[in-house]
Amino acid sequence: MSTPSRFDRGHTDDLITFLAASPSPYHAVASAAERLEKAGFRQVAETDTWDGSTGGKYVLRGGAIVAWYVPEGTAPHTPYRIVGAHTDSPNLRVKPLPDTGAHGWRQVAVEIYGGPLLNSWLDRDLGLAGRLSLRDGTSRLVNIDRALLRVPQLAIHMDRSVHTDGLKLDKQKHMQPIWGLGEDVREGDLIRFVEEECGLAPGEVTGWDLMTHSIEPPAYLGRDRDLLAGPRMDNLLSVHAGTAALAAAATCPDADALPYIPVLAAFDHEENGSQSDTGADGPLLGTVLERSVFARGGTYEDKARAFAGTVCLSSDTGHAVHPNYAERHDPTHHPRANKGPILKVNVNNRYATDGGGRAVFAAACEKAGVPFQAFVSNNSMPCGTTIGPITAARHGIKTVDIGVAILSMHSARELCGADDPHLLAEALLAFLEG
């Protein structure tokens, strides 16, 4: 099937805005919540008693968001249609004792988060962003989006073997960024600087979750501007598409006639195993769905019926065929940019897709008029995984792994076709509408 010419500059422009405004998972869920608020959703607190009212609601917990829309007259046993994604990306994260340095250089001590392509972080101007925990028990987002840090690569004159042996980076020794000059390491220097940037009094910050990000903005690329280059597409591209799809489903003229309850579940910590209170292997999604059933007067039997009819699309980026390394791909499966979303299959359950799941996704794409492609790994290459198998196993719901094919996955800047984010969002909308 050939890809129709459907490039929606508005959707991709908004994705660029979303990526730029979301240098951390905490910013990403705040950006998603802002879009949902404009569509009429309201935040509910996990510590409050939930009522059975209809409409759009969402829960924020750290770097995760779960949002759902309950149509008028929805029975307690109504199944859910879930778009699952994750908000985190591989990067360099600030250690508990961040102030370090040597030989007249001031540095920031960082820990490697997830599995980044380390070389992509070299000689790149980096900002600092994340969440601050304050003495009064509140938290605040921070985004220092300017050239603050840099991980300098060793000059070729001092490493001639790089041409023959390849670049070899020690995660501990070679990835600590510089951020100034000075002979003495001054304890507390970084956090005092962050407090000043945020207009906070000295000592007001008692905890932090800070991480680096490339300050180079997302941008269209190519002769015809048919490509998009930018940071954190794995997996904010899916978070943005899922947010757009849920907002559209909740504001369509027939929203109260939807046969399912549409849901967006965007988790943190996928890049390091999902085992946290905000990860897909935690209880957040199941608790929210269960409480929604009970708030509408349902019973355990209603919850079991709802889960039995529920389907989740686990949307995460996958691998487009690389023109310089085509032999690394399966010879019969070469996903291409701007040819629509990919259906991800692995018979060893690294992806959760089965034949029935494929049929659900195919029906959604057909309804949306969107082409899709299949992805399977080369048998000689280990296959990655997603929140899909975790979601299926933890909650007992049918899950299908899909996404957008990209290049340079886990790089500080990734690359996709500029049409594909919009095509994914349309397929997700058709899925949520049933």
Side-chain angles (χ1 to χ4, degrees):
M1 182 184 298
S2 61
T3 306
S5 178
R6 310 179 52 172
F7 180 51
D8 185 328
R9 182 58 58 88
H11 179 91
T12 308
D13 284 349
D14 190 63
L15 171 60
I16 289 174
T17 301
F18 184 83
L19 292 172
S22 305
S24 78
Y26 316 108
H27 290 83
V29 297
S31 297
E34 180 182 4
R35 285 162 170 75
L36 292 172
E37 289 272 359
K38 291 178 180 178
F41 285 69
R42 62 181 178 87
Q43 184 176 1
V44 294
E46 294 183 82
T47 53
D48 290 345
T49 300
W50 290 5
D51 59 38
S53 59
T54 57
K57 307 174 185 181
Y58 67 91
V59 165
L60 288 181
R61 183 193 289 184
I65 183 171
V66 180
W68 66 104
Y69 179 82
V70 181
E72 290 284 350
T74 300
H77 61 268
T78 301
Y80 298 95
R81 281 283 174 103
I82 305 168
V83 172
H86 68 88
T87 60
D88 60 320
S89 302
N91 56 19
L92 313 178
R93 302 205 172 187
V94 175
K95 288 184 175 180
L97 300 175
D99 303 294
T100 186
H103 306 290
W105 298 98
R106 285 211 168 94
Q107 295 174 276
V108 174
V110 296
E111 189 173 4
I112 309 301
Y113 179 83
L117 287 170
L118 295 179
N119 63 292
S120 71
W121 290 86
L122 301 179
D123 297 328
R124 191 179 291 275
D125 296 339
L126 304 175
L128 196 64
R131 177 180 64 177
L132 303 173
S133 298
L134 307 184
R135 189 172 296 279
D136 63 4
T138 62
S139 63
R140 179 180 296 190
L141 298 184
V142 57
N143 180 13
I144 304 172
D145 194 34
R146 63 179 174 85
L148 182 67
L149 303 148
R150 187 179 179 93
V151 183
Q153 186 170 188
L154 184 63
I156 185 64
H157 312 83
M158 297 181 179
D159 187 15
R160 299 287 187 182
S161 66
V162 70
H163 287 315
T164 56
D165 300 336
L167 180 63
K168 297 178 181 178
L169 296 171
D170 183 289
K171 293 180 180 180
Q172 180 63 35
K173 292 169 58 179
H174 301 149
M175 296 305 297
Q176 308 307 312
I178 62 172
W179 75 306
L181 299 172
E183 295 297 333
D184 300 323
V185 174
R186 297 178 293 192
E187 185 177 350
D189 197 19
L190 178 69
I191 298 307
R192 281 192 294 271
F193 165 78
V194 172
E195 288 173 332
E196 291 173 1
E197 288 286 309
C198 295
L200 297 170
E204 199 168 344
V205 173
T206 55
W208 55 87
D209 301 281
L210 296 172
M211 59 204 71
T212 60
H213 66 277
S214 169
I215 65 169
E216 185 180 0
Y220 292 106
L221 184 144
R223 183 194 66 181
D224 300 320
R225 292 165 54 89
D226 53 357
L227 298 171
L228 179 66
R232 300 177 295 279
M233 290 193 201
D234 178 18
N235 184 35
L236 295 189
L237 188 158
S238 294
V239 175
H240 176 262
T243 302
L246 179 60
T251 55
C252 73
D254 298 325
D256 286 326
L258 292 173
Y260 304 99
I261 297 173
V263 179
L264 169 69
F267 302 101
D268 202 352
H269 301 129
E270 188 271 348
E271 297 293 354
N272 61 11
S274 295
Q275 292 186 321
S276 70
D277 68 322
T278 53
D281 204 17
L284 179 59
L285 176 61
T287 299
V288 168
L289 300 184
E290 189 175 70
R291 289 185 70 178
S292 177
V293 171
F294 294 158
R296 287 176 281 118
T299 63
Y300 177 84
E301 183 72 10
D302 291 316
K303 177 244 180 180
R305 292 175 65 190
F307 277 41
T310 293
V311 182
C312 173
L313 291 188
S314 165
S315 182
D316 202 347
T317 54
H319 304 291
V321 62
H322 197 301
N324 300 336
Y325 301 91
E327 73 281 358
R328 304 292 182 97
H329 298 261
D330 182 85
T332 59
H333 294 76
H334 284 175
R336 297 170 61 184
N338 286 340
K339 297 295 184 181
I342 56 174
L343 178 77
K344 301 158 79 170
V345 178
N346 179 263
V347 295
N348 293 302
N349 283 343
R350 300 292 286 171
Y351 303 133
T353 307
D354 63 9
R358 176 190 172 96
V360 171
F361 184 59
C365 289
E366 182 177 0
K367 177 183 176 183
V370 168
F372 72 93
Q373 310 173 78
F375 172 82
V376 65
S377 291
N378 187 309
N379 283 323
S380 300
M381 300 281 177
C383 180
T385 191
T386 67
I387 66 166
I390 294 171
T391 303
R394 180 168 185 84
H395 305 294
I397 60 179
K398 178 177 285 296
T399 304
V400 190
D401 273 295
I402 65 162
V404 163
I406 70 171
L407 293 180
S408 306
M409 186 184 293
H410 287 199
S411 173
R413 281 179 75 82
E414 298 161 323
L415 183 70
C416 75
D419 290 5
D420 283 329
H422 177 224
L423 295 175
L424 173 65
E426 288 198 328
L428 295 181
L429 174 58
F431 165 75
L432 292 178
E433 290 179 336

